Amino acid sequence: MRFDDPWYEASAAGWDEADGRQVAPEGGAPGSGDPRPASGVAEIYLEVHRSEAFREVRRRYRRFVAPAALAFLLWYLAYVVAATTAPALMARPVAGAVNVAMVAGLGQFLTTFLLTWAYARHARLRRDRAALDLRWDTQELTRGLAEQPRGGSGR
């Protein structure tokens, strides 16, 4: 059975054999047992890596992750520093037995969940479609390389 899904892993289908040869699983995806055209595949991935679309996906990732990680790290360090240098402040009651330290500690958990939600939302809205398009293009290029005639140069 052949899958045309770019998320499909060839190694799970039995394409990665120990002797380095391409062996098609039952149902016959293309593959005659010849060695993989590794240099052609490597060139495709290098071309994608150099593409503007790939750089844009990485740029969007960095624009979110770097400031978010820095902000969370500063918030965590502020909590630790306040807990060690200002115990009187952290022990100040807020409501009943709940003090500033407990509220700040629970705030750490809350910001972790909020940051996770914000990251997933950012990825879904700003990067996933572009990354999936890149993956589809890459899969089509490598699939086209694998379907070239084996006997000659293919050009």
Side-chain angles (χ1 to χ4, degrees):
M1 170 183 234
R2 179 169 177 188
F3 291 99
D4 288 330
D5 181 9
W7 297 102
Y8 175 70
E9 295 235 4
S11 61
W15 285 66
D16 290 333
E17 296 298 321
D19 65 354
R21 295 195 169 268
Q22 203 177 38
V23 178
E26 283 186 36
S32 62
D34 295 338
R36 290 180 178 202
S39 62
V41 172
E43 290 171 9
I44 289 171
Y45 280 95
L46 286 173
E47 179 182 328
V48 169
H49 188 265
R50 289 185 211 115
S51 72
E52 182 58 36
F54 183 79
R55 284 196 298 260
E56 182 62 26
V57 169
R58 290 192 55 172
R59 193 176 307 127
R60 289 176 184 178
Y61 171 78
R62 283 191 218 116
R63 278 188 196 149
F64 180 85
V65 170
L70 182 64
F72 186 79
L73 182 62
L74 290 174
W75 160 229
Y76 175 75
L77 289 175
Y79 174 71
V80 171
V81 168
T84 57
T85 60
L89 170 70
M90 298 300 269
R92 184 172 293 152
V94 174
V98 177
N99 61 20
V100 173
M102 288 182 187
V103 171
L106 290 172
Q108 291 286 315
F109 285 104
L110 179 64
T111 55
T112 300
F113 292 120
L114 285 174
L115 187 60
T116 302
W117 170 80
Y119 176 82
R121 183 176 186 276
H122 181 269
R124 186 180 71 246
L125 295 176
R126 307 261 190 248
R127 294 189 324 266
D128 285 353
R129 174 56 50 197
L132 185 60
D133 289 344
L134 274 172
R135 181 157 178 135
W136 274 106
D137 293 344
T138 305
Q139 291 296 318
E140 288 301 315
L141 289 171
T142 57
R143 187 173 294 124
L145 188 64
E147 292 173 356
Q148 288 180 355
R150 300 271 185 206
S153 66
R155 291 181 185 213

